[in-house]
Amino acid sequence: MKIHTRKTTVRVSEVRDLTERSARHFREKVQPALLPFCRTVEIDLSQTAALDSWGLAELIAVYKTARQHDAQAIVRLLRPRPPVQQILDLTRAERIFEVVAAEPAP
């Protein structure tokens, strides 16, 4: 997993999975990066093969932390793979996250 901060945006990439097995590691790495000036959090899910309730809880924790720092903060989930998108759809995650789908293949 990689975390990059640029001005008011934190970008998380290379997340292999967000499951019970990896949720604690995700939290330990991402939460400290959410500084008070952070207005946008982008989590690239294009390499994420699995998402379970533990992983979803961590995404919600990121949202809550970002919103505590800035009530207008945005958490954007980028390019989720089909199995991950299915979980996001079932849980209506688009109500709190901005979900940016993958570009359709030409």
Side-chain angles (χ1 to χ4, degrees):
M1 178 172 40
K2 292 185 179 179
I3 301 171
H4 299 281
T5 302
R6 186 169 184 195
K7 296 186 181 181
T8 61
T9 300
V10 173
R11 183 175 175 93
V12 182
S13 61
E14 298 184 23
V15 180
R16 302 289 179 219
D17 64 15
L18 271 171
T19 60
E20 179 180 8
R21 193 187 88 212
S22 61
R24 183 175 181 180
H25 175 73
F26 181 85
R27 178 181 344 110
E28 289 172 350
K29 297 297 182 186
V30 175
Q31 288 290 343
L34 302 177
L35 302 174
F37 58 82
C38 178
R39 294 190 50 94
T40 306
V41 180
E42 295 182 338
I43 303 173
D44 185 345
L45 298 176
S46 63
Q47 296 180 24
T48 308
L51 174 70
D52 67 8
S53 59
W54 289 79
L56 190 59
E58 290 308 322
L59 293 175
I60 292 168
V62 166
Y63 172 83
K64 287 181 176 181
T65 300
R67 285 293 182 109
Q68 285 175 348
H69 293 312
D70 183 333
Q72 301 301 314
I74 297 169
V75 177
R76 202 173 279 136
L77 306 179
L78 306 175
R79 297 178 293 282
R81 295 167 108 182
V84 173
Q85 182 67 56
Q86 183 177 19
I87 298 298
L88 297 174
D89 291 344
L90 288 171
T91 58
R92 297 183 180 184
E94 75 280 353
R95 295 186 315 182
I96 60 171
F97 302 110
E98 185 178 311
V99 180
V100 180
E103 297 289 323

